[in-house]
Amino acid sequence: GNSVTQMEGPVTLSEEAFLTINCTYTATGYPSLFWYVQYPGEGLQLLLKATKADDKGSNKGFEATYRKETTSFLLEKGSVQVSDSAVYFCALKNSGAGSYQLTFGKGTKLSVIP
Amino acid sequence: GAGVSQTPSNKVTEKGKYVELRCDPISGHTALYWYRQSLGQGPEFLIYFQGTGAADDSGLPNDRFFAVRPEGSVSTLKIQRTERGDSAVYLCASSPYEKETQYFGPGTRLLVL
Protein backbone atom coordinates (compact mmCIF):
# COMPACT_ATOMS: atom_id res chain seq x y z
CA GLY A 1 0.00 0.00 0.00
CA ASN A 2 0.88 3.65 -0.11
CA SER A 3 2.77 5.38 2.66
CA VAL A 4 4.45 8.72 3.27
CA THR A 5 7.20 9.39 5.78
CA GLN A 6 8.21 12.88 6.84
CA MET A 7 10.98 14.07 9.07
CA GLU A 8 9.94 14.34 12.69
CA GLY A 9 9.27 17.77 14.05
CA PRO A 10 9.04 20.19 15.53
CA VAL A 11 11.51 22.28 13.57
CA THR A 12 12.49 25.66 14.98
CA LEU A 13 14.36 28.14 12.79
CA SER A 14 15.36 31.75 13.02
CA GLU A 15 13.93 34.18 10.50
CA GLU A 16 15.79 34.13 7.15
CA ALA A 17 17.20 30.65 7.79
CA PHE A 18 17.14 27.94 5.11
CA LEU A 19 14.40 25.34 5.41
CA THR A 20 14.42 21.72 4.31
CA ILE A 21 11.74 19.19 5.19
CA ASN A 22 12.25 15.74 3.74
CA CYS A 23 9.54 13.40 2.57
CA THR A 24 9.89 9.88 1.24
CA TYR A 25 7.13 7.70 -0.12
CA THR A 26 6.13 4.19 -1.07
CA ALA A 27 3.57 3.76 -3.81
CA THR A 28 2.60 1.62 -6.76
CA GLY A 29 2.96 3.19 -10.17
CA TYR A 30 3.73 6.84 -10.60
CA PRO A 31 2.00 8.95 -7.98
CA SER A 32 1.49 12.69 -7.89
CA LEU A 33 3.14 14.36 -4.91
CA PHE A 34 1.92 17.29 -2.86
CA TRP A 35 2.87 19.56 -0.01
CA TYR A 36 -0.04 20.91 2.00
CA VAL A 37 0.28 23.55 4.73
CA GLN A 38 -1.92 24.11 7.76
CA TYR A 39 -1.55 27.53 9.36
CA PRO A 40 -2.66 27.91 12.99
CA GLY A 41 -6.44 27.87 13.20
CA GLU A 42 -6.90 27.32 9.48
CA GLY A 43 -7.64 24.44 7.13
CA LEU A 44 -5.25 22.54 4.90
CA GLN A 45 -4.07 24.49 1.87
CA LEU A 46 -2.26 23.14 -1.14
CA LEU A 47 1.23 24.65 -1.19
CA LEU A 48 2.65 22.98 -4.29
CA LYS A 49 2.53 19.79 -6.31
CA ALA A 50 4.45 17.74 -8.86
CA THR A 51 2.85 15.15 -11.08
CA LYS A 52 5.79 13.34 -12.63
CA ALA A 53 9.45 12.56 -12.09
CA ASP A 54 11.82 15.55 -12.13
CA ASP A 55 8.92 18.02 -11.99
CA LYS A 56 9.53 20.95 -9.68
CA GLY A 57 6.62 22.48 -7.83
CA SER A 58 6.99 26.00 -6.48
CA ASN A 59 4.89 28.56 -4.64
CA LYS A 60 5.47 31.43 -2.17
CA GLY A 61 9.24 30.86 -2.29
CA PHE A 62 8.91 27.14 -1.51
CA GLU A 63 10.18 24.52 -3.94
CA ALA A 64 10.11 20.74 -4.12
CA THR A 65 11.41 18.40 -6.82
CA TYR A 66 9.94 14.97 -7.51
CA ARG A 67 12.86 12.52 -7.25
CA LYS A 68 11.74 9.13 -8.49
CA GLU A 69 15.14 7.51 -8.03
CA THR A 70 15.15 8.27 -4.31
CA THR A 71 11.33 8.27 -3.92
CA SER A 72 11.57 11.65 -2.24
CA PHE A 73 9.98 15.10 -2.40
CA LEU A 74 12.15 17.51 -0.43
CA LEU A 75 10.57 20.83 0.52
CA GLU A 76 12.94 23.81 0.56
CA LYS A 77 12.79 27.53 1.13
CA GLY A 78 15.78 29.81 1.04
CA SER A 79 14.71 32.34 3.67
CA VAL A 80 11.84 31.59 6.03
CA GLN A 81 9.64 34.19 7.64
CA VAL A 82 7.68 34.18 10.88
CA SER A 83 4.53 33.90 8.77
CA ASP A 84 5.73 30.50 7.50
CA SER A 85 5.13 29.00 10.94
CA ALA A 86 2.69 26.16 10.29
CA VAL A 87 2.39 22.39 9.98
CA TYR A 88 3.53 21.01 6.64
CA PHE A 89 2.12 17.76 5.26
CA CYS A 90 3.54 15.71 2.43
CA ALA A 91 0.99 13.64 0.51
CA LEU A 92 0.68 11.42 -2.53
CA LYS A 93 -2.07 10.36 -4.87
CA ASN A 94 -1.79 7.44 -7.25
CA SER A 95 -2.24 8.00 -10.93
CA GLY A 96 -4.58 5.98 -13.07
CA ALA A 97 -8.25 5.22 -13.03
CA GLY A 98 -10.00 5.34 -9.70
CA SER A 99 -7.10 7.07 -7.94
CA TYR A 100 -8.37 9.84 -5.73
CA GLN A 101 -7.32 9.15 -2.17
CA LEU A 102 -4.62 11.35 -0.73
CA THR A 103 -2.21 9.55 1.58
CA PHE A 104 -0.60 11.94 4.05
CA GLY A 105 2.47 11.92 6.21
CA LYS A 106 2.18 12.82 9.89
CA GLY A 107 3.12 16.44 9.36
CA THR A 108 6.11 18.54 10.39
CA LYS A 109 5.54 21.53 12.61
CA LEU A 110 7.69 24.53 11.74
CA SER A 111 8.18 27.43 14.13
CA VAL A 112 10.07 30.49 12.87
CA ILE A 113 11.30 32.88 15.53
CA PRO A 114 12.22 36.53 14.90
CA GLY B 1 -15.15 32.56 -4.54
CA ALA B 2 -16.40 30.62 -1.57
CA GLY B 3 -14.33 27.71 -0.41
CA VAL B 4 -15.38 24.48 1.24
CA SER B 5 -17.34 25.13 4.40
CA GLN B 6 -18.01 22.80 7.28
CA THR B 7 -20.41 23.02 10.18
CA PRO B 8 -20.23 22.98 13.09
CA SER B 9 -16.66 24.08 13.62
CA ASN B 10 -16.65 22.37 17.00
CA LYS B 11 -18.86 19.66 18.41
CA VAL B 12 -18.78 18.25 21.92
CA THR B 13 -20.91 15.21 22.62
CA GLU B 14 -21.22 12.41 25.11
CA LYS B 15 -20.26 8.82 24.53
CA GLY B 16 -23.09 6.93 22.89
CA LYS B 17 -24.72 9.94 21.25
CA TYR B 18 -25.38 10.45 17.54
CA VAL B 19 -23.72 13.31 15.61
CA GLU B 20 -23.97 14.77 12.14
CA LEU B 21 -21.23 16.78 10.48
CA ARG B 22 -22.01 18.86 7.41
CA CYS B 23 -19.89 19.79 4.40
CA ASP B 24 -20.68 22.35 1.71
CA PRO B 25 -18.28 21.84 -1.21
CA ILE B 26 -17.16 24.43 -3.70
CA SER B 27 -19.96 25.08 -6.16
CA GLY B 28 -19.70 22.88 -9.22
CA HIS B 29 -17.29 20.38 -7.70
CA THR B 30 -18.53 16.87 -8.42
CA ALA B 31 -16.04 15.01 -6.23
CA LEU B 32 -16.25 15.18 -2.44
CA TYR B 33 -14.04 13.51 0.15
CA TRP B 34 -14.09 13.03 3.90
CA TYR B 35 -10.90 12.57 5.91
CA ARG B 36 -10.24 12.19 9.63
CA GLN B 37 -7.26 13.77 11.36
CA SER B 38 -6.34 12.49 14.80
CA LEU B 39 -4.08 14.52 17.06
CA GLY B 40 -0.50 14.54 15.81
CA GLN B 41 -1.35 12.61 12.65
CA GLY B 42 -1.98 13.39 9.03
CA PRO B 43 -5.48 13.16 7.59
CA GLU B 44 -6.74 9.67 6.78
CA PHE B 45 -9.21 8.95 3.99
CA LEU B 46 -12.73 7.95 4.96
CA ILE B 47 -15.03 8.13 1.93
CA TYR B 48 -15.26 9.54 -1.58
CA PHE B 49 -18.37 10.68 -3.47
CA GLN B 50 -18.64 11.20 -7.20
CA GLY B 51 -21.93 13.00 -7.59
CA THR B 52 -24.56 11.48 -5.33
CA GLY B 53 -23.01 8.06 -4.94
CA ALA B 54 -20.30 6.86 -2.59
CA ALA B 55 -17.69 5.60 -5.03
CA ASP B 56 -15.41 4.34 -2.26
CA ASP B 57 -16.23 4.01 1.44
CA SER B 58 -13.34 1.70 2.25
CA GLY B 59 -11.87 4.15 4.77
CA LEU B 60 -14.88 4.20 7.08
CA PRO B 61 -13.66 2.55 10.28
CA ASN B 62 -16.85 0.58 11.07
CA ASP B 63 -20.59 0.53 10.50
CA ARG B 64 -21.22 3.31 13.03
CA PHE B 65 -20.00 5.73 10.36
CA PHE B 66 -22.15 6.63 7.39
CA ALA B 67 -22.18 9.50 4.89
CA VAL B 68 -24.68 10.78 2.36
CA ARG B 69 -24.77 13.29 -0.46
CA PRO B 70 -28.35 13.10 -1.69
CA GLU B 71 -28.32 15.92 -4.24
CA GLY B 72 -24.70 15.77 -5.29
CA SER B 73 -23.70 18.86 -3.39
CA VAL B 74 -23.88 19.05 0.43
CA SER B 75 -22.70 15.98 2.29
CA THR B 76 -23.38 14.82 5.84
CA LEU B 77 -21.14 12.48 7.80
CA LYS B 78 -23.12 10.61 10.44
CA ILE B 79 -21.66 8.86 13.45
CA GLN B 80 -23.84 6.64 15.62
CA ARG B 81 -23.11 5.58 19.20
CA THR B 82 -20.05 7.79 19.39
CA GLU B 83 -16.98 6.55 21.24
CA ARG B 84 -14.14 8.52 22.82
CA GLY B 85 -11.84 7.21 20.10
CA ASP B 86 -13.92 9.05 17.49
CA SER B 87 -12.56 12.35 18.81
CA ALA B 88 -10.69 13.97 15.93
CA VAL B 89 -10.90 16.70 13.33
CA TYR B 90 -13.11 15.65 10.44
CA LEU B 91 -12.06 17.26 7.17
CA CYS B 92 -14.04 17.60 3.99
CA ALA B 93 -12.49 18.30 0.59
CA SER B 94 -13.87 18.78 -2.90
CA SER B 95 -12.46 18.83 -6.41
CA PRO B 96 -13.87 19.52 -9.87
CA TYR B 97 -13.22 15.91 -10.91
CA GLU B 98 -11.60 13.04 -9.10
CA LYS B 99 -8.15 13.59 -10.55
CA GLU B 100 -7.98 17.28 -9.78
CA THR B 101 -6.54 19.12 -6.79
CA GLN B 102 -8.54 18.66 -3.59
CA TYR B 103 -9.55 21.80 -1.70
CA PHE B 104 -10.07 21.35 2.02
CA GLY B 105 -12.51 22.90 4.43
CA PRO B 106 -11.53 24.13 7.90
CA GLY B 107 -12.73 20.93 9.54
CA THR B 108 -15.06 20.03 12.38
CA ARG B 109 -13.36 19.30 15.67
CA LEU B 110 -15.31 16.51 17.38
CA LEU B 111 -14.79 15.78 21.07
CA VAL B 112 -16.52 12.78 22.60
CA LEU B 113 -16.59 12.88 26.39
Side-chain angles (χ1 to χ4, degrees):
Chain A
N2 297 338
S3 67
V4 175
T5 303
Q6 296 181 228
M7 61 184 288
E8 294 280 333
V11 174
T12 302
L13 295 174
S14 297
E15 207 164 20
E16 300 183 1
F18 186 82
L19 168 71
T20 62
I21 302 177
N22 200 15
C23 166
T24 57
Y25 68 88
T26 303
T28 54
Y30 303 97
S32 295
L33 301 175
F34 305 82
W35 279 102
Y36 278 83
V37 59
Q38 191 169 36
Y39 297 103
E42 298 184 17
L44 277 170
Q45 300 175 25
L46 178 66
L47 181 59
L48 53 83
K49 67 178 182 181
T51 57
K52 59 183 187 298
D54 300 324
D55 262 4
K56 178 184 283 188
S58 60
N59 186 26
K60 298 182 181 180
F62 290 88
E63 291 184 340
T65 301
Y66 187 169
R67 299 292 186 199
K68 183 171 177 291
E69 63 277 11
T70 54
T71 61
S72 64
F73 194 47
L74 178 72
L75 182 67
E76 297 180 306
K77 186 175 185 183
S79 176
V80 293
Q81 305 300 312
V82 172
S83 58
D84 294 325
S85 297
V87 182
Y88 292 81
F89 291 92
C90 184
L92 70 81
K93 182 156 69 79
N94 276 331
S95 58
S99 299
Y100 40 76
Q101 288 185 33
L102 285 167
T103 300
F104 287 87
K106 292 186 177 183
T108 303
K109 183 176 182 179
L110 170 67
S111 297
V112 180
I113 54 178
Chain B
V4 178
S5 63
Q6 293 185 245
T7 54
S9 53
N10 291 280
K11 176 70 177 178
V12 181
T13 191
E14 293 179 345
K15 181 175 178 295
K17 298 290 188 183
Y18 167 83
V19 297
E20 290 189 350
L21 312 179
R22 177 187 167 109
C23 172
D24 270 281
I26 293 172
S27 178
H29 282 194
T30 60
L32 185 146
Y33 316 80
W34 284 98
Y35 292 81
R36 179 168 71 173
Q37 186 176 13
S38 300
L39 193 63
Q41 304 294 316
E44 294 179 324
F45 170 79
L46 294 177
I47 187 169
Y48 157 63
F49 286 89
Q50 180 58 255
T52 60
D56 182 357
D57 63 359
S58 63
L60 295 178
N62 52 60
D63 61 6
R64 295 186 298 104
F65 288 74
F66 188 71
V68 295
R69 195 186 185 200
E71 297 177 358
S73 179
V74 170
S75 176
T76 304
L77 178 66
K78 308 180 180 195
I79 310 174
Q80 298 177 322
R81 304 183 304 280
T82 51
E83 299 178 357
R84 292 193 180 89
D86 299 335
S87 298
V89 177
Y90 289 82
L91 299 170
C92 178
S94 71
S95 64
Y97 305 98
E98 68 175 35
K99 291 187 184 298
E100 297 296 319
T101 298
Q102 295 179 26
Y103 296 89
F104 283 80
T108 293
R109 186 176 300 275
L110 175 66
L111 177 61
V112 182
L113 300 176

